[in-house]
Amino acid sequence: MTSVVQSVDNVALLPAYLAAGTAVLVLLADLLVARPRVTVGTAASGALATAVGAALVGAGGERGTFCVPDGCSYLADDRAGLVGVLFALLTLGVLALSGPLLRDGRVPVGEYCFLLACSMTGGVVLGAAGDLITLVVALETLTLPLYVLVGLRRGSRAGAEAAVTFFVVSVVATSVTLLGAALLYAVTGRLHLRPLGSALTAGSDLLDLPLTTVAVTLLVLGLAFKVAAVPFHAWAPATYDGAPVPVAAYLSTASKLGGVVALLAVVQYALPATVTGPVLALLAVATMTVGNLVALRQRRMVRLLAWSSVAQAGYILAPLGALALAAGRGADARTAAYAAVVGYAVFFVLLEFAAFAGVVALRPAGADGGTVADYRGAARRHRWVGAAFGLALIGLAGLPPGLAGLFAKVTVVRALTTGGAGWLALVVALNAVLGLAYYLRVTATLYAPGDAAGTTGTRPTRAVTVALAAATAVAVLLGFAPQLLLGLV
């Protein structure tokens, strides 16, 4: 028997070490010091250190570890660095939004911060996953703590129901994903993404096997759950609305980002575009259309944001659905599609987080998201917070002055036309117009005459205001200078 020695690069693993170390330090701080401020400060410091570590390692070029002749299970490159920074900063931002919730006393601080740090660890590893096992394990490490976070608030029946719904549907989706991965291994005998893609290139006899089509379809559909793509979206509105608002913000941004990263990894490197393209195109059309149509009827703020995030997932999936056509148009068309997915996902995460930060800032401590009518005139009472919230909504709609959202949609449409999927670009444009109705309705409500009866009369906390301002400022900066982002893709 020939032994295989794996190489281990500890520098490449530094972001994962920092994220996992944060979870351990949070446990120790909660056990030994037992002061909420120390526990939260430890989690925040660890998240910031993880972001710095991911940025430094990602800027150092591609580094592989746990490598065998077939490939590397962990690849730290610029995209992995970008993903690690995003997950760490999202964790830091959610901690900032969670101040009023944690002071309410119904959520245990130590467990809350520990679960967030564990989820962050899964996200950091997910960005560098180089094989199917690492990918699935990292995705589940990202998702598993969220089941508990959704239902962690004491005495909340809605939270418990949302957690059970999320758990049951997620287990089924994970089983489908694992079945697809197992069938792919049975067909090809490979687990690393890039060798798997080489085995399934055009002209390969393996593509003619019905088992290959079934395996690819199951894997894509299982991962589609993580981005709440139709028809695997039913868990999202109920879960978001039943969870504490900061947890809903994390679900809508970090969890969805994890699904996008996983789908992009397997579609770009492992799976044949001729099979994944039609499946993802169908999912994209159904997702953006259903999400926008149902969002028009929503009266509760968090449910409206949840359905809008479903529609946004359709825009993210659209360039991946055009890959079957782009494959015949050269590397430039494929590169444009991948860049559009990453760019849109980053812009969406920033604007969606800013929208949820606006909800937290304008609601009483510990309250749910309330109804849209509860925000009537809120921007007149809290001008800067209302302006940032409105700018986030306008950005999600893709209108100026929300240049980040406008650029993101233009990038998607351009990638679709470059890839020869003009019909899909038309569907995206029509859905973008449809989405204007509810985004503008909410924005108009913020500035409508009258009292914001459901909003707090006190000033938002400093941490929440800083998180909202930071997310909005970064989105505005990238909207004016999108090359800063595309240079990392």
Side-chain angles (χ1 to χ4, degrees):
M1 176 180 286
T2 303
S3 61
V4 177
V5 179
Q6 290 186 338
S7 64
V8 179
D9 186 343
N10 289 304
V11 174
L13 293 169
L14 179 61
Y17 290 156
L18 290 171
T22 299
V24 175
L25 289 176
V26 166
L27 276 182
L28 293 176
D30 186 55
L31 176 65
L32 300 177
V33 182
R35 296 182 61 181
R37 288 191 176 184
V38 175
T39 303
V40 174
T42 302
S45 300
L48 185 59
T50 302
V52 173
L56 292 176
V57 174
E62 183 174 303
R63 305 177 69 102
T65 188
F66 300 120
C67 296
V68 295
D70 281 344
C72 296
S73 296
Y74 191 99
L75 290 168
D77 54 12
D78 52 355
R79 184 182 295 178
L82 175 63
V83 171
V85 169
L86 282 174
F87 275 106
L89 293 182
L90 284 173
T91 303
L92 185 62
V94 170
L95 285 171
L97 299 187
S98 303
L101 174 69
L102 297 178
R103 282 193 294 272
D104 186 48
R106 297 171 61 191
V107 174
V109 177
E111 288 87 338
Y112 186 88
C113 295
F114 170 72
L115 290 168
L116 271 180
C118 289
S119 183
M120 175 181 68
T121 304
V124 169
V125 175
L126 179 62
D131 63 44
L132 288 177
I133 294 178
T134 305
L135 186 83
V136 174
V137 170
L139 193 57
E140 291 310 303
T141 304
L142 167 66
T143 306
L144 282 173
L146 300 180
Y147 307 150
V148 185
L149 283 171
V150 170
L152 194 59
R153 187 168 45 184
R154 299 187 184 98
S156 174
R157 181 174 179 179
E161 292 175 350
V164 171
T165 300
F166 187 25
F167 173 75
V168 172
V169 180
S170 181
V171 166
V172 174
T174 301
S175 302
V176 172
T177 304
L178 288 173
L179 179 58
L183 292 178
L184 270 180
Y185 179 71
V187 170
T188 64
R190 293 174 173 85
L191 286 172
H192 290 87
L193 297 180
R194 298 188 185 190
L196 187 59
S198 300
L200 296 175
T201 53
S204 171
D205 294 337
L206 297 178
L207 290 178
D208 298 329
L209 298 176
L211 188 59
T212 302
T213 302
V214 172
V216 171
T217 303
L218 288 176
L219 184 59
V220 170
L221 294 182
L223 293 177
F225 161 84
K226 303 299 182 182
V227 297
V230 175
F232 312 103
H233 66 289
W235 63 274
T239 302
Y240 289 13
D241 201 25
V245 179
V247 176
Y250 193 79
L251 277 169
S252 184
T253 54
S255 178
K256 194 176 292 289
L257 178 64
V260 171
V261 170
L263 265 176
L264 182 62
V266 296
V267 169
Q268 182 174 4
Y269 297 121
L271 303 184
T274 53
V275 179
T276 60
V279 174
L280 289 171
L282 180 61
L283 287 177
V285 171
T287 300
M288 68 179 79
T289 305
V290 172
N292 281 320
L293 289 175
V294 181
L296 290 171
R297 302 174 56 246
Q298 300 305 307
R299 295 296 178 264
R300 291 187 59 80
M301 180 63 78
V302 171
R303 280 187 175 267
L304 185 146
L305 291 176
W307 281 106
S308 77
S309 75
V310 171
Q312 298 288 342
Y315 303 139
I316 296 173
L317 292 177
L320 295 180
L323 284 176
L325 294 174
R329 291 179 173 248
D332 290 341
R334 294 194 300 272
T335 301
Y338 299 138
V341 171
V342 177
Y344 198 101
V346 173
F347 285 128
F348 162 76
V349 163
L350 290 171
L351 294 169
E352 185 81 353
F353 179 83
F356 273 98
V359 172
V360 174
L362 295 175
R363 292 289 290 164
D368 60 12
T371 65
V372 175
D374 290 335
Y375 295 79
R376 176 174 292 275
R380 295 171 177 263
R381 182 180 300 177
H382 305 288
R383 293 183 179 180
W384 293 109
V385 172
F389 190 12
L391 182 61
L393 293 172
I394 293 299
L396 288 170
L399 289 176
L403 295 180
L406 176 62
F407 172 79
K409 285 184 170 57
V410 169
T411 302
V412 167
V413 171
R414 183 181 300 167
L416 293 175
T417 54
T418 302
W423 67 272
L424 192 51
L426 179 61
V427 174
V428 169
L430 291 175
N431 272 278
V433 174
L434 185 62
L436 295 179
Y438 56 86
Y439 286 123
L440 292 180
R441 173 168 63 89
V442 177
T443 306
T445 301
L446 291 173
Y447 288 93
D451 294 331
T455 59
T456 178
T458 61
R459 296 179 62 185
T461 63
R462 182 177 299 177
V464 173
T465 305
V466 170
L468 173 59
T472 307
V474 173
V476 170
L477 173 64
L478 291 179
F480 279 107
Q483 295 81 6
L484 296 176
L485 173 62
L486 294 183
L488 299 174
V489 178

